[in-house]
């Protein structure tokens, strides 16, 4: 319906669209919240070990995880824990949003790995390294990231880590010039296919609507940041051995791009990463205890991909509303840090709003209200 003449019709259609937008927002929030809680539960073992001693937890995870059969790297290196790197990342995450967030929480959904004391961590633990023992560790090597790239790619990711860690803030503030700069200067060098995919993404107007609206992208990004806070670095070491830091940076680079790409480039890459993880996980009956956490991390990746599509649908609805000159309420603007704090503070069920119970943990595919 283009330019409805009657004010009553405009009001009615505006209300209808506002309702539809609320439902769509609720859908992706429920999806992400549920997957986030699930991951928090299964990370318990990793969390406890990290709290005891992060450097040792990292080293042990690298040994016992998915390092591929030619695990010679373990015989040649005394340590795989890059203390300086993780200290740097911890400081960056602590400063995110400019607020001081120092108190650690005992609640699984609020615990942050970087709030554990890292200053005393030696870069070399001195513990004897052993080759990996994990059965399913053969299909893929994640040592240079999940995509079988090379050492130069890992080095370039490390070099660009400040820009990669800052990417969510660029999206949250809708800084189009900085986003374009990141795409052309940083992403083009690291991952040219993805940069090209983003440049040619079909529905740029949807991205524009979402950057204007802010709220939907902000919530999605807040869940992403909460997940990265909840995942101790030893999880990446379990998957990637010496490539733990590369894998973390790769995930942090790829995930926000899902929001910026309405085409398939970023989604295909995220899907491939998910499949590689699933492939190494093997049969559920043979899971080692840490594998359940990796399985739930895989589910979370899938749900971020689906939720990004739902956010794009919100953008399409907003674009329709604009074309029809409807009068939509604008959510108040906020910051990433404030949104993360609000999600942590809100103990209600994301499905029904009750404060008597928390959000149910849903299995993949069950969040479908079509
Ligand atoms: Zn409920």
């Amino acid at each position: 319906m283009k330019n409805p003449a009657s004010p009553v019709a405009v009001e009615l259609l505006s209300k209808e669209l506002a309702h539809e937008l609320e439902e769509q927002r609720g859908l992706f929030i429920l999806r992400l919240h549920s997957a986030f809680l699930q991951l928090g539960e299964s990370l318990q073992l990793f969390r406890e070990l990290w709290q005891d001693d992060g450097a040792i937890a990292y080293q042990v995870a690298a040994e016992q995880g998915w390092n591929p059969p030619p695990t010679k790297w373990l015989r040649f290196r005394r340590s795989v824990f890059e203390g300086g790197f993780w200290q740097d990342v911890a400081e960056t995450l602590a400063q995110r949003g400019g607020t001081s967030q120092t108190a650690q929480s005992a609640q699984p959904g609020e615990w942050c790995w970087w709030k554990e004391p890292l200053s005393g961590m030696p870069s070399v633990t001195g513990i004897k390294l052993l080759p990996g023992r994990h059965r399913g560790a053969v299909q893929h090597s994640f040592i240079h990231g999940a995509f079988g790239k090379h050492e130069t790619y890992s080095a370039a990711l490390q070099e660009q880590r400040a820009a990669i860690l800052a990417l969510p803030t660029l999206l949250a503030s809708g800084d189009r010039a900085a986003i374009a700069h990141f795409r052309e200067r940083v992403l083009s060098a690291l991952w040219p296919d993805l940069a090209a995919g983003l440049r040619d993404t079909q529905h740029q107007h949807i991205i524009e609507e979402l950057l204007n609206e802010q709220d939907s992208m902000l919530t999605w990004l807040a869940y992403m940041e909460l997940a990265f806070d909840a995942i101790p670095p030893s999880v990446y070491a379990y998957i990637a051995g010496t490539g733990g830091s590369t894998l973390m940076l790769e995930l942090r680079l790829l995930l926000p791009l899902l929001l910026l790409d309405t085409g398939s480039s970023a989604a295909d890459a995220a899907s491939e990463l998910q499949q590689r993880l699933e492939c190494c996980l093997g049969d559920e009956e043979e899971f080692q205890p840490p594998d359940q956490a990796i399985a739930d991390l895989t589910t979370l990746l899938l749900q971020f991909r689906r939720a990004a599509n739902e956010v794009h649908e919100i953008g399409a609805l907003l674009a329709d509303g604009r074309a029809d000159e409807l009068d939509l309420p604008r959510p108040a603007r906020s910051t990433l840090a404030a949104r993360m704090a609000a999600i942590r503070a809100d103990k209600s069920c994301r499905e029904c709003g009750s404060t008597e119970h928390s959000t149910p943990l849903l299995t993949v595919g069950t969040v479908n209200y079509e």
Side-chain angles (χ1 to χ4, degrees):
M1 184 170 183
K2 290 279 165 216
N3 302 322
S6 141
V8 180
V10 170
E11 196 188 331
L12 203 69
L13 287 169
S14 300
K15 278 189 176 155
E16 252 177 48
L17 185 57
H19 179 70
E20 208 175 328
L21 285 167
E22 268 320 293
E23 286 209 323
Q24 191 73 18
R25 287 190 190 108
L27 191 74
F28 90 80
I29 290 170
L30 172 59
R31 181 188 292 295
L32 292 182
H33 198 79
S34 178
F36 172 66
L37 291 182
Q38 177 74 59
L39 179 70
E41 284 210 352
S42 60
L43 280 174
Q44 192 191 346
L45 177 66
F46 281 106
R47 203 160 46 234
E48 284 169 5
L49 292 170
W50 183 261
Q51 278 168 307
D52 284 350
D53 188 316
I56 290 174
Y58 194 94
Q59 201 100 350
V60 169
E63 273 183 30
Q64 302 196 329
W66 295 358
N67 48 78
T71 49
K72 291 196 179 68
W73 55 269
L74 284 167
R75 299 194 185 97
F76 291 119
R77 292 178 69 155
R78 280 185 72 210
S79 174
V80 292
F81 184 72
E82 301 153 280
F85 172 86
W86 290 106
Q87 183 70 46
D88 188 34
V89 174
E91 280 164 18
T92 308
L93 294 184
Q95 286 160 8
R96 174 186 44 193
T99 52
S100 58
Q101 319 161 58
T102 45
Q104 180 65 285
S105 169
Q107 301 273 344
E110 297 176 7
W111 184 86
C112 294
W113 68 264
W114 50 265
K115 287 184 183 175
E116 295 299 324
L118 293 179
S119 51
M121 273 190 190
S123 59
V124 174
T125 57
I127 60 168
K128 195 176 183 310
L129 290 164
L130 299 165
R133 288 183 289 257
H134 196 283
R135 285 188 301 276
V138 289
Q139 288 91 340
H140 297 288
S141 164
F142 293 85
I143 282 177
H144 300 303
F147 293 92
K149 298 192 183 193
H150 302 290
E151 222 157 309
T152 45
Y153 166 74
S154 316
L157 274 178
Q158 301 270 350
E159 202 171 300
Q160 293 292 353
R161 68 178 184 252
I164 293 169
L165 292 167
L167 180 59
T169 314
L170 303 186
L171 269 71
S173 58
D175 189 339
R176 290 155 178 81
I179 292 169
H181 185 269
F182 182 90
R183 186 188 64 217
E184 297 308 324
R185 295 295 164 83
V186 180
L187 190 61
S188 292
L190 287 171
W191 209 329
D193 295 353
L194 274 184
L198 250 59
R199 204 177 295 122
D200 303 337
T201 201
Q202 294 160 329
H203 304 290
Q204 197 57 48
H205 70 287
I206 288 180
I207 309 292
E208 280 298 314
E209 287 294 341
L210 289 166
L211 289 172
N212 278 333
E213 183 233 19
Q214 197 212 25
D215 192 77
S216 304
M217 278 195 177
L218 191 65
T219 301
W220 190 102
L221 290 163
Y223 274 104
M224 189 201 93
E225 291 286 13
L226 289 172
F228 279 109
D229 279 0
I231 301 169
S234 48
V235 172
Y236 309 114
Y238 186 84
I239 298 170
T242 50
S245 55
T246 300
L247 179 64
M248 184 277 291
L249 289 172
E250 199 170 41
L251 280 165
R252 280 203 71 107
L253 173 65
L254 180 57
L255 282 174
L257 301 182
L258 288 170
L259 287 178
L260 289 178
D261 186 7
T262 58
S264 61
S265 303
D268 286 350
S271 164
E272 191 179 332
L273 197 158
Q274 183 199 327
Q275 282 165 17
R276 285 180 180 221
L277 291 172
E278 279 168 357
C279 183
C280 291
L281 271 168
D283 284 343
E284 207 174 329
E285 297 84 56
E286 291 179 28
F287 275 9
Q288 309 273 332
D291 291 330
Q292 188 56 51
I294 313 298
D296 289 334
L297 174 64
T298 310
T299 303
L300 188 73
L301 289 179
L302 170 66
Q303 301 296 24
F304 270 118
R305 196 149 49 82
R306 290 183 172 167
N309 287 337
E310 284 159 352
V311 168
H312 292 152
E313 281 169 35
I314 290 172
L317 289 173
L318 291 168
D320 288 351
R322 184 187 294 277
D324 289 344
E325 293 173 18
L326 300 185
D327 184 22
L328 292 170
R330 291 245 160 225
R333 290 187 78 81
S334 185
T335 64
L336 202 47
R339 185 58 52 94
M340 289 168 72
I343 292 171
R344 284 195 174 112
D346 180 358
K347 302 298 178 203
S348 72
C349 168
R350 274 21 175 219
E351 192 171 32
C352 68
S354 165
T355 49
E356 303 290 309
H357 59 264
S358 59
T359 309
L361 303 180
L362 302 164
T363 48
V364 183
T366 53
V367 188
N368 187 357
Y369 287 28
E370 289 304 306

